[in-house]
Amino acid sequence: MNRRRQIYEGKAKVLFEGPEQGTLVQYFKDDATAFNNKKKGTITGKGVLNNHITEFVMLRLAEIGIPTHFIRRLNMREQLVREVDIVPIEVIIRNIAAGSICKRLGIEEGAPLPRPLIEYCYKEDALDDPIVAEEHILTFGWAAPHELEEIVAHSFRINDYLSGLFMGIGIRLVDFKLEFGRFFEEGQPPRIVLADEFSPDNCRLWDAETNEKLDKDRFRRSLGGETEAYQEVARRLGVLPESGPGDPKGSEIVQ
Ligand code: TMP
């Protein structure tokens, strides 16, 4: 067996050294966590579904000119990506009030926001990823002013495009989280690219007719039907894997 070097293991993904210099293999696990690891569980087949959903979204975003780390999907659970230096900021865009903003500001879940709202969290597990302002990002140098400007512009463009894309399949894009990285190419200044994933793990998706939750809130709130919800998103996007997420080929880490 060809054993690869593991670079990093996160809560829902593992990164391995890629086949060529400057590439990584991103492996999607079935593990689910919520509330910064305080709740742990498994969503059967989630990794397979998130791999396919992320592939679809990254390809569509590349088509509209958003640079991403995505190269290609390798198999049921893995995709080849460019190695980037992750900017330690989670960018959250909200269209409808849900989750932490409701608690923080006393807003009712489901209230449409007057305009899309951007928030930032500092990526530091030991601090539970605290919410921070643009001033913190610039003062502490987590991103340079021109990088942050690009991150903000990409994030709103992604929101506009994906809101329409999901509405086209009867789903409201309530909110989502993005991560960006710096991609280094010889002889060129580092470029900001979209990294990580885009899946029901990091966004809220509500059925446009019934408001049924089709995302990780099913797990966070112990509503049940997690796999079915993720499958429904993949099915509507037209990327539900033929053999289904329970496919044994997709269930083990292949090394
Ligand atoms: P929140 O309402 O908990 O702040 O989450 C806003 C959005 O960001 C929601 O779609 C879930 C996503 N998110 C992550 O992907 N990772 C995280 O660590 C957090 C806190 C939120």
Side-chain angles (χ1 to χ4, degrees):
M1 249 200 246
N2 170 24
R3 291 197 82 79
R4 294 169 305 184
R5 196 160 70 88
Q6 184 175 312
I7 306 281
Y8 174 80
E9 175 154 17
K11 286 175 269 198
K13 298 189 291 298
V14 186
L15 292 174
F16 295 98
E17 203 168 57
E20 294 135 41
Q21 176 122 34
T23 66
L24 297 175
V25 173
Q26 181 162 256
Y27 175 94
F28 289 76
K29 300 192 276 188
D30 284 350
D31 297 353
T33 68
F35 316 115
N36 214 19
N37 233 352
K38 288 176 194 82
K39 175 169 177 161
K40 291 187 183 137
T42 304
I43 301 176
T44 306
K46 171 172 82 78
V48 173
L49 295 162
N50 284 355
N51 185 25
H52 286 77
I53 294 169
T54 295
E55 172 193 26
F56 178 86
V57 171
M58 291 287 176
L59 289 175
R60 294 293 81 75
L61 292 177
E63 281 171 0
I64 62 156
I66 304 286
T68 85
H69 75 157
F70 181 83
I71 301 173
R72 68 175 179 277
R73 186 168 61 78
L74 296 170
N75 55 47
M76 294 294 265
R77 283 183 184 267
E78 295 178 327
Q79 48 186 242
L80 187 66
V81 301
R82 289 184 206 292
E83 187 170 17
V84 298
D85 182 6
I86 290 283
V87 175
I89 298 296
E90 295 187 343
V91 179
I92 293 167
I93 302 272
R94 301 179 189 273
N95 297 305
I96 297 172
S100 70
I101 196 171
C102 295
K103 253 200 210 151
R104 232 184 308 127
L105 303 180
I107 305 174
E108 196 185 336
E109 181 174 89
L113 299 173
R115 56 178 192 176
L117 176 68
I118 191 163
E119 293 179 338
Y120 311 97
C121 293
Y122 176 47
K123 263 173 75 75
E124 182 54 67
D125 278 343
L127 302 173
D128 275 357
D129 298 347
I131 187 164
V132 293
E134 232 179 77
E135 281 71 12
H136 295 91
I137 299 173
L138 299 175
T139 299
F140 296 111
W142 297 325
H146 71 277
E147 291 178 326
L148 189 55
E149 209 173 293
E150 213 163 317
I151 287 170
V152 171
H154 286 331
S155 299
F156 282 119
R157 176 86 180 99
I158 291 168
N159 184 45
D160 282 347
Y161 177 76
L162 291 184
S163 291
L165 185 146
F166 279 108
M167 196 41 76
I169 54 168
I171 291 175
R172 245 188 276 284
L173 180 57
V174 172
D175 59 29
F176 58 90
K177 185 265 294 182
L178 302 173
E179 293 187 25
F180 291 87
R182 296 181 189 94
F183 173 52
F184 295 86
E185 241 176 337
E186 221 174 280
Q188 298 202 30
R191 263 204 311 152
I192 289 290
V193 303
L194 179 64
D196 195 47
E197 67 179 301
F198 192 102
S199 76
D201 268 10
N202 356 73
C203 63
R204 289 194 171 90
L205 301 170
W206 294 355
D207 181 274
E209 299 257 300
T210 64
N211 280 338
E212 192 190 356
K213 296 180 196 308
L214 301 173
D215 57 63
K216 203 169 88 174
D217 267 353
R218 301 206 73 85
F219 171 76
R220 293 189 189 96
R221 300 182 182 194
S222 306
L223 299 175
E226 292 91 342
T227 301
E228 292 73 15
Y230 282 57
Q231 272 177 330
E232 179 61 15
V233 174
R235 189 189 67 75
R236 291 196 203 179
L237 290 172
V239 298
L240 185 64
E242 288 240 324
S243 41
D247 180 5
K249 275 188 303 202
S251 60
E252 297 297 327
I253 290 195
V254 185
Q255 296 202 2

